[in-house]
Amino acid sequence: MDIVRSVAEMQKTAKEWKRSGKSVGFVPTMGFLHEGHESLMQQARSKHDLVVVSIFVNPLQFGPNEDFERYPRDEAHDRLVAERNQVDLLFIPTVEEMYPTHQSIDMQVTQRVNVLCGRTREGHFSGVVTVLTKLFHICLPDTVYFGLKDAQQVAVVDALINDLNFPVELQPVATVREDDGLAKSSRNVYLSEQERTEAPYIYKALQDAKKMVVDGEKNPVIIVREVEQFINKHTNGKIDYVELLSYPDLTTMKVINQQVILATVVQFKHARLIDNIIIPLA
Amino acid sequence: MDIVRSVAEMQKTAKEWKRSGKSVGFVPTMGFLHEGHESLMQQARSKHDLVVVSIFVNPLQFGPNEDFERYPRDEAHDRLVAERNQVDLLFIPTVEEMYPTHQSIDMQVTQRVNVLCGRTREGHFSGVVTVLTKLFHICLPDTVYFGLKDAQQVAVVDALINDLNFPVELQPVATVREDDGLAKSSRNVYLSEQERTEAPYIYKALQDAKKMVVDGEKNPVIIVREVEQFINKHTNGKIDYVELLSYPDLTTMKVINQQVILATVVQFKHARLIDNIIIPLA
């Protein structure tokens, strides 16, 4: 596995791959790799000649109250994870490599952002689309892999690629779950024993709601209320939000008449758990 | 020569070219092609396997007082011009092809814009970088050709490519001139006979000023005053501006200690003439 830290070298390598007709799968990450990332790498590995993983903690996507400096980093661990998933190249640029000058070009996201978790993360997705634009130009992937655990990010990347005609295919990957349905997360270790038994009811609530929609329920208010009641009944977590929106447009609706996302955040004592389910139009 | 009007078909073709290792030179235009464009096509022709010219009058770069509808269009003429310059492919998308939905991604230019002609064209360069981002992704050029007649546009494209790491090389091309030095322009036909004899003094003024800098003059104020006096002495045109700025950063300076641009706009009765000269650091 190669490790490249220079933007120029990475882009040169990617151009050579392109010229020789190789297909490139790309997994952009902020490092501290876990099973969710591994699932993305495995998907990419199964479909491309070459798999590139980037590790870059992007200062542009951290808000004033989010601590960029304290974001966890562990390159040695990440190298092991990438290696065992047969990644071909790890791209690990410094902040100075990625942002050598004060940028003249400012990218903003004007839709799909002021809902779900984006509501409280102003400017976050501007930073995301800026760094992804740069990474796509540097690594020249055919396909980019993102986990549906962060379905709003997937929706924003979908807008980025479509609006600006990137020659890149977006491949969303299903959330990795424990056997009991709980979405895997590095935060699950912060759950108490009692909370850990309650947490799977979050996904259970989403699944039951999906069944209601599939069975014909068209009223988002009823669906959201059912999910809230179910979570409140089976857990001691505090619901931050339950939202039902069109997907990937992320707009509200009065009647469910298109593919939707049902998403929730539940705050336990020391762990904020997020989960969602996408419900295709029946 | 192929003519492609579909974004999907153009991108598919460009991807196939890439895979087969072909090099692509690209000349983005708004059509109504003239000798300046031909010079760009010829440069591209001499250096690439394939030459693509796009014709797209981009509504996003027109201000509220600039008439998008009335911008001149002549596709039949443009086809002849492209054909005789051995262009391989003309890409002529409609507005609906380029902007099928309301964009979620908004690109702004924050530097290099509030000077020269950009000062009175708010939002113009945002439209320019948006459409170029899309065109670069659709046509996948190795090199893009722009005329130095619009040196500010070249500076903004330089920022776009560098800030966002586009895998594209920018090739600026010298302004095409009449034998007497007057920059070629479709507006020159609006000059009276008398004005036509005066107009070459604009470039003469810039050349004399360049010589002053090369000979050691470091004071921008003196240079600008010389140019103004020379133009006022030899023409009846009204000077809109004479500006000396760093290039391509387009910042002001007290002492000339880097590459600069000396640019002017002179308003004749029915023709607004623009010209500039770039003066490398001696």
Side-chain angles (χ1 to χ4, degrees):
Chain A
M1 185 177 71
D2 288 332
I3 296 185
V4 172
R5 298 179 193 276
S6 140
V7 164
E9 187 188 340
M10 180 69 242
Q11 196 174 49
K12 184 163 167 281
T13 302
K15 281 184 179 179
E16 280 161 18
W17 287 342
K18 281 291 188 200
R19 259 196 298 276
S20 63
K22 297 261 195 280
S23 114
V24 177
F26 179 43
V27 181
T29 82
M30 299 217 297
F32 219 70
L33 303 176
H34 53 62
E35 283 166 295
H37 298 113
E38 290 192 86
S39 156
L40 304 179
M41 294 177 207
Q42 286 154 16
Q43 283 259 353
R45 181 71 285 163
S46 71
K47 291 191 185 144
H48 298 277
D49 298 320
L50 293 155
V51 176
V52 175
V53 172
S54 66
I55 297 177
F56 180 62
V57 184
N58 176 32
L60 246 59
Q61 72 193 64
F62 284 77
N65 301 318
E66 297 168 353
D67 199 335
F68 165 72
E69 296 297 340
R70 283 179 53 206
Y71 193 87
R73 293 159 170 92
D74 187 347
E75 189 184 309
H77 163 80
D78 291 345
R79 287 167 70 151
L80 286 175
V81 173
E83 196 107 48
R84 76 166 174 252
N85 285 283
Q86 300 169 61
V87 168
D88 296 287
L89 191 153
L90 262 187
F91 177 48
I92 317 180
T94 60
V95 171
E96 293 67 35
E97 270 291 294
M98 288 296 281
Y99 302 112
T101 57
H102 181 65
Q103 307 248 136
S104 298
I105 309 293
D106 187 35
M107 297 179 76
Q108 298 288 335
V109 190
T110 59
Q111 297 176 72
R112 307 185 178 190
V113 288
N114 295 319
V115 292
L116 307 176
C117 291
R119 198 182 286 115
T120 53
R121 302 194 71 185
E122 204 193 320
H124 168 71
F125 285 112
S126 294
V128 170
V129 298
T130 303
V131 79
L132 288 178
T133 295
K134 291 167 69 73
L135 288 170
F136 291 172
H137 290 157
I138 294 165
C139 300
L140 304 175
D142 294 277
T143 306
V144 64
Y145 293 81
F146 283 97
L148 278 167
K149 178 95 185 291
D150 189 344
Q152 186 170 18
Q153 176 170 267
V154 171
V156 169
V157 176
D158 172 79
L160 174 69
I161 288 177
N162 287 322
D163 280 3
L164 298 181
N165 306 97
F166 275 92
V168 176
E169 192 191 336
L170 169 61
Q171 181 61 62
V173 176
T175 300
V176 183
R177 299 182 181 281
E178 304 289 352
D179 289 341
D180 58 16
L182 175 62
K184 290 214 183 190
S185 164
S186 42
R187 289 162 172 164
N188 291 349
V189 297
Y190 301 124
L191 293 169
S192 71
E193 210 170 317
Q194 168 62 23
E195 287 175 336
R196 179 63 188 80
T197 65
E198 297 171 4
Y201 284 96
I202 296 170
Y203 185 52
K204 183 84 174 54
L206 299 179
Q207 282 180 303
D208 287 359
K210 178 175 178 174
K211 186 163 184 308
M212 285 176 69
V213 176
V214 170
D215 289 350
E217 180 56 60
K218 298 282 184 207
N219 188 338
V221 176
I222 290 177
I223 298 293
V224 166
R225 195 191 308 140
E226 280 289 322
V227 171
E228 289 172 344
Q229 287 175 351
F230 191 91
I231 291 173
N232 283 331
K233 183 172 167 195
H234 292 96
T235 83
N236 288 298
K238 188 180 158 298
I239 293 172
D240 187 345
Y241 65 74
V242 174
E243 279 183 73
L244 188 150
L245 301 167
S246 67
Y247 196 83
D249 281 342
L250 302 186
T251 55
T252 56
M253 71 202 72
K254 292 215 184 307
V255 175
I256 299 172
N257 57 5
Q258 57 191 303
Q259 173 169 280
V260 296
I261 185 170
L262 183 59
T264 185
V265 170
V266 181
Q267 180 70 54
F268 287 91
K269 196 157 185 199
H270 299 294
R272 188 169 180 273
L273 301 190
I274 80 169
D275 205 351
N276 70 72
I277 200 164
I278 290 174
I279 310 173
L281 184 58
Chain B
M1 185 178 70
D2 288 331
I3 296 185
V4 173
R5 298 178 193 276
S6 140
V7 164
E9 187 188 341
M10 180 70 242
Q11 196 176 47
K12 185 163 167 281
T13 303
K15 281 184 180 180
E16 280 161 16
W17 287 342
K18 280 291 187 201
R19 259 196 297 277
S20 63
K22 296 261 195 280
S23 115
V24 177
F26 180 43
V27 181
T29 81
M30 299 217 296
F32 220 69
L33 302 176
H34 53 62
E35 283 165 295
H37 298 112
E38 289 192 87
S39 158
L40 304 179
M41 294 176 206
Q42 287 154 17
Q43 283 259 352
R45 181 71 285 162
S46 72
K47 291 191 185 143
H48 298 276
D49 298 320
L50 293 154
V51 176
V52 176
V53 173
S54 66
I55 297 176
F56 180 61
V57 184
N58 176 32
L60 246 60
Q61 71 194 66
F62 284 76
N65 301 317
E66 298 168 352
D67 199 336
F68 165 73
E69 296 296 341
R70 283 178 53 206
Y71 193 87
R73 293 158 170 93
D74 187 348
E75 188 183 311
H77 163 81
D78 291 345
R79 286 167 71 150
L80 287 175
V81 173
E83 196 107 47
R84 76 166 175 252
N85 286 283
Q86 299 169 63
V87 168
D88 296 288
L89 191 153
L90 262 187
F91 177 48
I92 317 180
T94 60
V95 172
E96 293 67 35
E97 270 290 294
M98 289 295 281
Y99 302 112
T101 58
H102 181 65
Q103 307 249 138
S104 298
I105 310 293
D106 187 34
M107 298 179 75
Q108 299 287 336
V109 190
T110 60
Q111 297 176 74
R112 307 185 179 191
V113 288
N114 294 320
V115 292
L116 305 176
C117 291
R119 199 183 285 117
T120 53
R121 301 193 70 185
E122 204 194 319
H124 168 70
F125 285 113
S126 293
V128 170
V129 298
T130 303
V131 79
L132 288 178
T133 294
K134 291 168 69 73
L135 288 170
F136 291 173
H137 290 156
I138 295 164
C139 301
L140 304 175
D142 293 278
T143 306
V144 63
Y145 293 81
F146 283 98
L148 278 167
K149 178 95 186 292
D150 189 344
Q152 186 170 19
Q153 176 170 266
V154 170
V156 169
V157 176
D158 172 79
L160 175 69
I161 289 176
N162 287 322
D163 280 3
L164 298 181
N165 305 96
F166 275 92
V168 176
E169 191 191 338
L170 169 61
Q171 181 61 62
V173 176
T175 300
V176 182
R177 298 182 181 281
E178 304 289 353
D179 289 341
D180 58 15
L182 175 63
K184 291 214 183 189
S185 165
S186 41
R187 289 162 172 166
N188 292 349
V189 296
Y190 301 123
L191 294 168
S192 71
E193 209 170 317
Q194 170 60 25
E195 288 175 336
R196 179 63 188 79
T197 66
E198 296 170 5
Y201 284 95
I202 297 171
Y203 185 51
K204 185 83 174 55
L206 300 178
Q207 282 180 304
D208 287 357
K210 177 175 179 176
K211 187 164 182 311
M212 284 176 68
V213 175
V214 170
D215 288 350
E217 180 56 61
K218 298 281 185 207
N219 187 338
V221 176
I222 290 178
I223 298 293
V224 166
R225 194 191 309 139
E226 280 290 321
V227 171
E228 289 173 345
Q229 287 175 351
F230 191 91
I231 291 173
N232 283 332
K233 183 174 166 195
H234 291 97
T235 83
N236 288 299
K238 187 180 160 299
I239 293 173
D240 188 343
Y241 66 73
V242 175
E243 279 184 75
L244 188 150
L245 301 167
S246 67
Y247 196 84
D249 281 343
L250 302 185
T251 55
T252 56
M253 73 202 71
K254 291 213 184 306
V255 175
I256 298 172
N257 57 3
Q258 57 192 301
Q259 173 170 279
V260 296
I261 185 169
L262 183 59
T264 185
V265 170
V266 181
Q267 179 70 55
F268 286 92
K269 195 157 185 199
H270 298 295
R272 189 169 179 273
L273 301 191
I274 81 169
D275 206 350
N276 70 72
I277 200 164
I278 289 173
I279 310 174
L281 182 59

